[in-house]
Structures are given as structure tokens and as C-alpha cells.
Amino acid sequence: MAELTTLARPYARAAFELAARDNALGQWSQMLGVAAAVSTQAAVRSLLINPALSAEQVATAFLKVCGEAVDSKIQNLVRLLAENRRLQLLPAVSELFEQFKAAREQSVDVEITTAYQISPEITAILTEALKTRLSREIRLATQVDEGLIGGAIIRAGDTVIDSSVRGKLNKLAESLSA
């Protein structure tokens, strides 16, 4: 995984700088997301690793699948990645781009998983608390996992706070077996 990130970083950085210069971070984000999603499809993945096809053939076929969802600048990125046999990096490029974008916007995506649906009031309180703790704007998404029994799991970037009953029971079981 680290190797893919290392290889993808220069492409993501260049894409981010171009998008920032053009004041088009949102559009680039969306188009890179489409290209990354296309690259993960099984039929497309087999196309990307086919040694019998030239880089231009791979890029042309890939861009046909993307259709009008990508503009000429993303098409140039796709051609460059194809020329360097790096189209499989598109998901990592898109992910890194999103990280650069979040850092620029001083925001973070936070996912809260709870055993039960939480009220809008609790969501607002959690958002404010996380905003204070992380010193960033919070884009909050909630989901329900009844297997947690109670409590919550909060994911914000690389930070994971597991205060679920299931998590605590797992820690207790580990400590008893050690």
C-alpha cells in the first residue's frame, strides 16, 4: 500500500496544484472520483494490465468508458498515467487528491458508527466537539451498526476512537487471554 501511495503522490500533487491554480478543486475531485471508480471495474482492470495493448490504446479505451464525465485535463492525466503504465494508481491518486483538498480547506471527513440512530441534536453536539478537538471543519457522516451493541466508533482520517460495547468486550477478551 505504501508503495502505491509513493508512486501516486507526484501525480496527485500535480493534479492538485493544477486544480488549485484553476480554482476547480471540486470539479477535479468529482472527475478523479469517476476515473478512479472506472479503474476498479474488473473488465477495465484486465484492460489496464494487458501487455498486448499500447499505452494509447489503453488510454483511448479507458477514456471511452469515462465518457463526458472527464474533461481534457483529466484526459491528459489519464494519457500520462497510461504512458507510464500507472493507470492502476488512479484510486490512490484520487484519495491523495482528496487529502490535499481537505488540508487546503482545513476540513476532515468524520464517520460515526453507532448501534442506534442518533438524533440531530446529538449529531450537532458531536460535530462541534470534534471541530474543537481537531481544529478543522467537520464533514460528518453517520451510520448504524447494530452489532456494536452500544456506544460508537468515530473515524476521522487516521484517528479511530472505539468506545463501542463490542470494542470494549473485545479488549477485555484479549486481556483475559493474554
Side-chain angles (χ1 to χ4, degrees):
M1 181 68 175
E3 184 179 322
L4 287 179
T5 301
T6 302
L7 293 172
R9 187 171 285 112
Y11 298 104
R13 172 71 62 196
F16 177 77
E17 289 173 3
L18 182 60
R21 186 192 74 201
D22 293 345
N23 201 21
L25 292 174
Q27 295 91 333
W28 273 76
S29 177
Q30 184 177 7
M31 291 184 290
L32 279 172
V34 168
V38 167
S39 73
T40 62
Q41 299 302 311
V44 174
R45 288 187 76 78
S46 64
L47 170 82
L48 299 180
I49 60 172
N50 187 340
L53 298 175
S54 72
E56 185 57 36
Q57 290 172 316
V58 170
T60 300
F62 186 88
L63 291 171
K64 279 185 182 179
V65 174
C66 291
E68 294 181 15
V70 297
D71 70 6
S72 62
K73 291 180 182 176
I74 297 288
Q75 291 174 10
N76 288 338
L77 175 63
V78 166
R79 286 188 181 91
L80 177 65
L81 288 167
E83 184 178 310
N84 294 322
R85 297 284 181 195
R86 302 260 195 254
L87 271 172
Q88 72 277 11
L89 294 177
L90 270 169
V93 169
S94 179
E95 183 178 322
L96 286 167
F97 183 92
E98 290 303 320
Q99 290 174 9
F100 295 148
K101 181 176 176 266
R104 166 73 59 91
E105 296 171 345
Q106 297 218 336
S107 65
V108 65
D109 291 325
V110 176
E111 178 182 295
I112 298 178
T113 306
T114 57
Y116 303 98
Q117 188 66 37
I118 57 176
S119 70
E121 295 82 20
I122 299 296
T123 302
I125 291 168
L126 285 170
T127 301
E128 280 305 309
L130 289 167
K131 182 177 180 179
T132 301
R133 180 171 180 185
L134 300 174
S135 301
R136 294 180 177 258
E137 287 299 315
I138 304 297
R139 293 187 306 256
L140 188 68
T142 61
Q143 63 181 35
V144 174
D145 178 359
E146 294 173 359
L148 294 181
I149 305 170
I153 299 174
I154 301 172
R155 289 182 180 86
D158 292 341
T159 304
V160 177
I161 302 168
D162 186 351
S163 65
S164 67
V165 173
R166 180 177 69 192
K168 290 177 182 179
L169 289 173
N170 287 341
K171 285 180 188 176
L172 178 63
E174 285 177 22
S175 67
L176 290 175
S177 67

